[in-house]
Amino acid sequence: MKPRKTLIAANWKMHKLVHDAVVYVKQLQQEAGVFDDREVLLAPPFTALPAVRIVMERNDFKLGAQNCHWEEQGAYTGEISCGMLKDAGCDYVLVGHSERRHIFGETDDMIRRKVNAAFKHKITPVLCIGEVLEEREAGKTLQVLEDQLKQAVTGLTPALAEQLVVAYEPVWAIGTGKTATPETAQEAHGFIRKQLAAMFDKGVANAVRILYGGSVKPDNVDALMARPDIDGLLVGGASLEVASFKRIVHYQVAGGKN
Ligand code: PGA
């Protein structure tokens, strides 16, 4: 089994002007320890990408965008292509975040195209999937995860699929302060990994990093990261301040994963 490198991602959403983004990145790079077992991914708004790229000096820090369009170029007012993101220095792009799905009407078909476009430009897609509260209460969580995953990865070769990052983000936990318990998150992550094994093979399933997102905070990070199939985190609100995100980056799992 290949070791999976931890990925701790900050999704700033529609927050921070260019100057604030630059100050944050410089401070975090200075203050955070240097790790060889984890990567730190920062996803600022589009406007701050080039400036953050310039000040991002550490190899364990990566740059990501929060969205992309699937076409190369053309008459798509307001959209940004993966070629443009590559040009701005992005290593990763978030795809299918629930806010994109629910506020902006993104469909599974659009999300599949975005995943493919990202890979075409050698940008790693972070595919976000997750159930809404009504789906959880109706016992449909695993079915929703299976459907969203399948529709997004259909047609990928195993060689590409193993590079994918999946973020499990239960919609009821995002920005609400209601984190999934480590057990609930582990159950979903284990299921996603099983699905990947069934859709591709065990090698792919073991290689794909599966992040948890939804009200991750300094006080719940250690217990989440202790679970075997939680390979990292996608952090919104608690990533906006250096102090809290630094604590999350410095998560500790005593005695290894359980
Ligand atoms: P949250 O957001 O940490 O503020 O819940 C997570 C996300 O939407 O990625």
Side-chain angles (χ1 to χ4, degrees), residues 53-122:
R53 179 76 275 167
I54 288 169
V55 295
M56 199 176 256
E57 292 164 341
R58 288 174 45 169
N59 287 337
D60 53 345
F61 275 50
K62 305 289 173 191
L63 184 65
Q66 299 172 18
N67 186 25
C68 63
H69 194 269
W70 57 87
E71 293 292 347
E72 293 292 319
Q73 57 183 30
Y76 300 101
T77 301
E79 293 294 328
I80 306 282
S81 71
C82 289
M84 292 168 179
L85 294 182
K86 192 74 191 173
D87 188 43
C90 287
D91 310 295
Y92 288 85
V93 61
L94 308 185
V95 173
H97 189 280
S98 67
E99 286 150 18
R100 302 296 320 167
R101 292 176 190 260
H102 298 296
I103 305 174
F104 300 102
E106 282 191 13
T107 63
D108 286 312
D109 186 54
M110 291 156 108
I111 291 161
R112 181 182 50 75
R113 292 190 209 192
K114 290 179 183 208
V115 167
N116 280 286
F119 275 132
K120 194 167 163 205
H121 287 277
K122 301 201 164 22

Side-chain angles (χ1 to χ4, degrees), residues 11 13 97 99 169 173-176 213-217 234-238:
N11 173 14
K13 309 191 180 184
H97 189 280
E99 286 150 18
E169 296 207 301
I174 296 178
T176 58
S215 296
V216 173
K217 303 279 181 250
L234 181 53
V235 188

Side-chain angles (χ1 to χ4, degrees), residues 24-193:
Y24 177 116
V25 175
K26 284 184 174 170
Q27 191 186 341
L28 184 64
Q29 286 183 132
Q30 269 172 13
E31 293 184 6
V34 177
F35 300 102
D36 55 13
D37 66 343
R38 56 196 86 169
E39 287 180 337
V40 176
L41 168 61
L42 301 174
F46 288 132
T47 46
L49 288 171
V52 168
R53 179 76 275 167
I54 288 169
V55 295
M56 199 176 256
E57 292 164 341
R58 288 174 45 169
N59 287 337
D60 53 345
F61 275 50
K62 305 289 173 191
L63 184 65
Q66 299 172 18
N67 186 25
C68 63
H69 194 269
W70 57 87
E71 293 292 347
E72 293 292 319
Q73 57 183 30
Y76 300 101
T77 301
E79 293 294 328
I80 306 282
S81 71
C82 289
M84 292 168 179
L85 294 182
K86 192 74 191 173
D87 188 43
C90 287
D91 310 295
Y92 288 85
V93 61
L94 308 185
V95 173
H97 189 280
S98 67
E99 286 150 18
R100 302 296 320 167
R101 292 176 190 260
H102 298 296
I103 305 174
F104 300 102
E106 282 191 13
T107 63
D108 286 312
D109 186 54
M110 291 156 108
I111 291 161
R112 181 182 50 75
R113 292 190 209 192
K114 290 179 183 208
V115 167
N116 280 286
F119 275 132
K120 194 167 163 205
H121 287 277
K122 301 201 164 22
I123 296 175
T124 303
V126 178
L127 168 69
C128 304
I129 61 176
E131 80 288 0
V132 299
L133 187 60
E134 299 83 79
E135 290 164 339
R136 173 156 288 272
E137 285 174 346
K140 293 184 180 154
T141 298
L142 301 184
Q143 191 58 53
V144 169
L145 297 181
E146 183 179 339
D147 288 349
Q148 291 182 348
L149 182 66
K150 263 199 186 142
Q151 300 208 47
V153 303
T154 295
L156 287 184
T157 61
L160 285 179
E162 70 176 24
Q163 296 169 42
L164 185 72
V165 176
V166 176
Y168 168 59
E169 296 207 301
V171 180
W172 46 270
I174 296 178
T176 58
K178 287 185 208 153
T179 323
T181 63
E183 293 68 34
T184 303
Q186 167 59 33
E187 187 196 12
H189 284 226
F191 176 77
I192 292 166
R193 207 175 299 288

